[in-house]
Amino acid sequence: MKQFTERLEYLLEFGGTKKDIILLVLSGIALILSLTKILPLPFDIAWVAIILCGVPIVLEAIIGLATSFDIKADVLVSIALIASVCIGEDFAAGEVAFIMQVGALLEELTVAKARAGIEKLVHLTPQTARVLKNERETIIPAEKVQVGDILRVLPGESIPVDGIIVSGQTSIDQAVMTGESLPVDKAAGDEVSSGTVNQFGAFEMKATKVGEDSSIQRMIRLVQSADAGKAKIVTMADRWATWIVVIALSAAILTLAISGQIIRAVTILVVFCPCALVLATPTAIMAAIGNATKHGFLVREGDALERLAKVKIIAFDKTGTLTYGTPKVIKVNSVSSAYSEEEVYLLAASAEKLSEHPLGKAIVSSYKREYEKPLIAEEKFAMLPGRGVSAVLNEKRIVAGNKELLSEQGIEVGSCEEITGFLEQGCTVIYLAADDEYIGYIVLSDTLREESTDVIDRLMRLSIRTVLLTGDNENAAKEIAGRLHISEVYAGCLPEDKLKYIDKYQQNENFVCMIGDGINDAPALKKSMVGIAMGGIGSDIAVDAADIVLVDDEVKELPHLMSLSKRMMTTIRLNLIFSMSLNFIAIILAIAGILNPVVGALVHNAGSVLVIINSALLLKWRKK
């Protein structure tokens, strides 16, 4: 039922746009015929434009006044329309209504284009799923899939829910969720996300997140919450619009009383409509949101970009934000003449092949990325919780783990300055022994994202201070901060510590943007002026707490987002200044009798179109 409702809303919205275009075409033809007087009709054909374009404006104004006494631009436009008709200026009335609707359509199309990149998620939601029960395949609606159900996905089908592959191998197109241009190979044990597309082989999966908890639905909720109407700057524009209506009515009454010419009063009402002020601001915000979307950001609220423009400090979590968040092998060393470094690496990876520990999996995956040689078949594998693993490889007993594990086996591990240096940097060391002989060690560390150094340097050039807030130990934090040229470092932070530091900065109006990915970052994301969460690896709680979500987990576009927010505010200010200046110049000309209602409507609405076009330029803006 929910999918049907969403589809109906989409069709109605699309149908509404087509209807608006048709009505505008008919109104435009009518105005041309009225101006040229080609058809000898007993009435002015401009009434077609008045009825098709003007009546909806008048009705909306009446409803707004009757329900909430909402004085907006449509009130002033309605008065101008009625007054123009009363003095026989039918063409002027039709023209005002026509150009007003053109401006509204331009705004609608601009917003639609801005949001098209993320709203496609709604239409990519899988509708059905193939559920396997008692060795029988049944096709059911996707929303009825339960956690734990076994599903089959065929080549070319969208994955209906989040889950884990239990059998089969394939490649998945994850572009809709991560922006990756190439398919990603998947096999048993790998996670898959709803909305992504199975490219090649069929596979079976176990559902882990269904319905509203699935990845695609989470992203849809983010899209639906992207509402420019929440921005403070829009509220300010609406408040100004109310005052402009009052000023315009007062000016029109005074001009009529002094000059005695009703046409001047009507012209004032026509040119003083605050349309550009009201239309251009939310359009600029939505255009900026569309630009941010194309660079990997989902902006949940329009005022997030307004707030981001005020940010002076960006606080980073370390793990998963500036680093990849997963350990990788950075050093392999042999201390035995009987084994080369490659052999030590092969023995460690083969021994860890069945390990469920993240460090064991990291060793195996790192080895497979570096070498094409197959792993050695293991025998008598055993997990030793908290210490490591043991296995028999080619009739040799291999032990891999921490120093305590080797000591328990009676294997002596001497001191080593190189190992001490790695430990001081926050790295993890796995020691390896073969047949009770210490033969070498493997060093693992969370590695910096390739783009992190460049991002920090670019932010500094934008006069943004950078701070590192991390729960890691001090040595690891200082090592990463030093490589990134971050001078302010706070290590060993609990969630309440991150809150304290952010509150400390913001008390002096040094507004902070917090970037994190974990549950422990959620309070800080909420507390900061703007919270940005890593959408791919980030926890659901962190994503829900954030104002902006980084879909592809790459922070390289963060400087662009900062520059975009400032550019958006500059565009809004230019729009406000231009629209207000145009209004006041036009009102002076109208009072002097230089402008008539027809020319006044053209001047005023041309200004509205210009500021909307100016806002639309944000869609493709990028700082040179």
Side-chain angles (χ1 to χ4, degrees), residues 240 276-277 280 570-586 603-612 614:
W240 285 11
L277 182 68
T570 299
T571 298
I572 289 173
R573 293 187 186 100
L574 287 174
N575 287 344
L576 294 176
I577 292 170
F578 174 76
S579 61
M580 293 295 292
S581 300
L582 184 65
N583 276 356
F584 280 106
I585 292 173
V603 172
H604 171 262
N605 288 289
S608 297
V609 172
L610 285 175
V611 293
I612 291 173
N614 184 46

Coordinates of all heavy atoms in Angstrom, one line a residue, residues 240 276-277 280 570-586 603-612 614:
W240 N 9.7 39.6 5.6 CA 9.9 40.8 4.8 C 8.7 41.0 3.8 O 8.3 42.1 3.6 CB 11.2 40.7 4.1 CG 12.4 41.0 4.9 CD1 12.5 41.1 6.3 CD2 13.7 41.2 4.5 NE1 13.7 41.3 6.8 CE2 14.6 41.4 5.6 CE3 14.4 41.3 3.2 CZ2 15.9 41.7 5.6 CZ3 15.7 41.5 3.2 CH2 16.5 41.7 4.3
A276 N 10.1 38.0 -6.1 CA 11.5 37.6 -6.2 C 12.1 37.3 -4.9 O 12.9 36.3 -4.7 CB 12.3 38.7 -6.9
L277 N 11.7 38.1 -3.9 CA 12.2 37.9 -2.5 C 11.8 36.5 -2.0 O 12.6 35.8 -1.3 CB 11.6 39.0 -1.6 CG 12.1 39.0 -0.2 CD1 13.5 39.3 0.0 CD2 11.2 40.0 0.6
A280 N 13.1 33.3 -4.8 CA 14.5 33.1 -5.1 C 15.2 32.4 -3.9 O 16.2 31.7 -4.2 CB 15.2 34.4 -5.5
T570 N 25.9 34.0 -0.3 CA 26.2 35.1 -1.1 C 25.1 35.3 -2.2 O 24.7 36.4 -2.5 CB 27.6 35.0 -1.8 OG1 28.6 34.9 -0.8 CG2 27.9 36.1 -2.7
T571 N 24.7 34.2 -2.8 CA 23.7 34.2 -3.8 C 22.4 34.7 -3.2 O 21.7 35.5 -3.8 CB 23.5 32.8 -4.4 OG1 24.7 32.4 -5.1 CG2 22.3 32.8 -5.4
I572 N 22.0 34.2 -2.0 CA 20.8 34.7 -1.4 C 20.8 36.2 -1.1 O 19.9 36.9 -1.4 CB 20.5 33.9 -0.1 CG1 20.2 32.4 -0.4 CG2 19.5 34.5 0.8 CD1 20.1 31.5 0.8
R573 N 22.0 36.7 -0.6 CA 22.1 38.1 -0.3 C 22.0 38.9 -1.6 O 21.3 40.0 -1.6 CB 23.4 38.4 0.4 CG 23.5 37.8 1.8 CD 24.7 38.2 2.5 NE 24.8 37.5 3.8 CZ 25.6 36.5 4.0 NH1 26.4 36.0 3.0 NH2 25.7 35.9 5.2
L574 N 22.6 38.5 -2.7 CA 22.5 39.2 -3.9 C 21.1 39.2 -4.4 O 20.6 40.2 -4.9 CB 23.4 38.5 -5.0 CG 24.9 38.7 -4.8 CD1 25.7 37.9 -5.8 CD2 25.3 40.2 -5.0
N575 N 20.4 38.1 -4.3 CA 19.0 38.0 -4.7 C 18.1 39.0 -3.9 O 17.2 39.7 -4.5 CB 18.4 36.6 -4.5 CG 19.0 35.6 -5.5 OD1 19.5 36.0 -6.6 ND2 18.8 34.3 -5.3
L576 N 18.3 39.0 -2.6 CA 17.5 39.9 -1.8 C 17.8 41.4 -2.1 O 16.9 42.2 -2.2 CB 17.9 39.7 -0.3 CG 17.5 38.3 0.3 CD1 18.0 38.2 1.7 CD2 16.0 38.1 0.2
I577 N 19.1 41.7 -2.3 CA 19.4 43.1 -2.6 C 18.9 43.5 -3.9 O 18.3 44.6 -4.1 CB 21.0 43.3 -2.6 CG1 21.5 43.2 -1.1 CG2 21.4 44.7 -3.1 CD1 23.0 43.1 -1.1
F578 N 19.0 42.6 -4.9 CA 18.5 42.9 -6.3 C 17.0 43.1 -6.3 O 16.5 44.1 -6.9 CB 19.0 41.8 -7.2 CG 18.4 42.0 -8.6 CD1 18.9 42.9 -9.5 CD2 17.3 41.2 -9.0 CE1 18.4 43.1 -10.8 CE2 16.8 41.4 -10.3 CZ 17.3 42.3 -11.2
S579 N 16.3 42.2 -5.7 CA 14.9 42.2 -5.7 C 14.3 43.4 -5.0 O 13.4 44.1 -5.4 CB 14.3 40.9 -5.1 OG 14.7 40.8 -3.8
M580 N 14.9 43.8 -3.8 CA 14.5 44.9 -3.1 C 14.8 46.2 -3.8 O 13.9 47.1 -3.9 CB 15.1 44.9 -1.7 CG 14.7 43.8 -0.8 SD 12.9 43.9 -0.3 CE 12.9 45.3 0.7
S581 N 16.0 46.3 -4.4 CA 16.3 47.5 -5.2 C 15.4 47.7 -6.4 O 14.9 48.8 -6.6 CB 17.8 47.4 -5.7 OG 18.7 47.3 -4.6
L582 N 15.1 46.6 -7.1 CA 14.2 46.7 -8.2 C 12.8 47.1 -7.8 O 12.2 48.0 -8.5 CB 14.2 45.3 -8.9 CG 13.3 45.3 -10.2 CD1 14.0 46.1 -11.3 CD2 13.2 43.8 -10.7
N583 N 12.4 46.6 -6.7 CA 11.0 47.0 -6.2 C 11.0 48.5 -5.9 O 10.0 49.2 -6.3 CB 10.7 46.2 -5.0 CG 10.1 44.8 -5.3 OD1 9.9 44.5 -6.5 ND2 9.9 44.0 -4.3
F584 N 12.0 49.0 -5.2 CA 11.9 50.4 -4.8 C 12.1 51.4 -6.0 O 11.5 52.4 -6.1 CB 13.0 50.7 -3.8 CG 12.5 50.3 -2.4 CD1 13.1 49.2 -1.8 CD2 11.5 51.0 -1.7 CE1 12.6 48.8 -0.5 CE2 11.1 50.6 -0.4 CZ 11.7 49.5 0.1
I585 N 12.9 51.0 -7.0 CA 13.1 51.8 -8.2 C 11.7 51.8 -9.0 O 11.3 52.9 -9.4 CB 14.2 51.3 -9.1 CG1 15.6 51.5 -8.4 CG2 14.2 51.9 -10.5 CD1 16.7 50.8 -9.1
A586 N 11.1 50.6 -9.1 CA 9.9 50.5 -9.8 C 8.8 51.3 -9.1 O 7.9 51.9 -9.8 CB 9.5 49.1 -10.0
V603 N 8.6 44.4 -15.9 CA 9.8 44.7 -15.2 C 9.9 43.9 -13.9 O 10.9 43.3 -13.6 CB 9.8 46.2 -14.8 CG1 11.0 46.5 -13.9 CG2 10.0 47.1 -16.1
H604 N 8.8 43.9 -13.2 CA 8.8 43.1 -11.9 C 9.0 41.7 -12.1 O 9.9 41.0 -11.4 CB 7.5 43.4 -11.2 CG 7.3 42.5 -10.0 ND1 6.6 41.3 -10.0 CD2 7.8 42.6 -8.7 CE1 6.6 40.8 -8.8 NE2 7.3 41.5 -8.0
N605 N 8.3 41.0 -13.0 CA 8.4 39.6 -13.1 C 9.7 39.2 -13.9 O 10.2 38.1 -13.6 CB 7.2 39.1 -13.9 CG 5.9 39.1 -13.0 OD1 5.8 38.3 -12.0 ND2 5.1 40.1 -13.3
A606 N 10.2 40.1 -14.7 CA 11.6 39.8 -15.3 C 12.6 39.7 -14.1 O 13.5 38.9 -14.2 CB 11.9 40.9 -16.3
G607 N 12.5 40.6 -13.1 CA 13.4 40.5 -12.0 C 13.2 39.2 -11.2 O 14.2 38.6 -10.8
S608 N 12.0 38.7 -11.1 CA 11.8 37.4 -10.4 C 12.5 36.3 -11.2 O 13.1 35.4 -10.6 CB 10.3 37.1 -10.3 OG 9.7 38.1 -9.5
V609 N 12.3 36.3 -12.5 CA 12.9 35.3 -13.3 C 14.5 35.3 -13.2 O 15.1 34.3 -13.1 CB 12.5 35.4 -14.8 CG1 13.2 34.4 -15.7 CG2 11.0 35.1 -14.9
L610 N 15.0 36.5 -13.2 CA 16.5 36.7 -13.2 C 17.1 36.1 -11.9 O 18.1 35.5 -11.9 CB 16.8 38.2 -13.3 CG 16.7 38.7 -14.7 CD1 17.0 40.2 -14.7 CD2 17.7 38.0 -15.7
V611 N 16.4 36.4 -10.7 CA 17.0 35.9 -9.5 C 16.8 34.4 -9.4 O 17.7 33.7 -8.8 CB 16.3 36.6 -8.2 CG1 16.7 38.0 -8.2 CG2 14.8 36.4 -8.2
I612 N 15.8 33.8 -10.0 CA 15.6 32.4 -10.0 C 16.7 31.7 -10.8 O 17.3 30.7 -10.5 CB 14.2 32.0 -10.5 CG1 13.2 32.4 -9.5 CG2 14.1 30.5 -10.7 CD1 11.7 32.2 -9.9
N614 N 19.6 33.1 -11.4 CA 20.8 33.2 -10.6 C 21.0 32.1 -9.6 O 22.1 31.6 -9.4 CB 20.8 34.6 -10.0 CG 22.1 34.9 -9.2 OD1 23.2 34.7 -9.7 ND2 22.0 35.4 -8.0

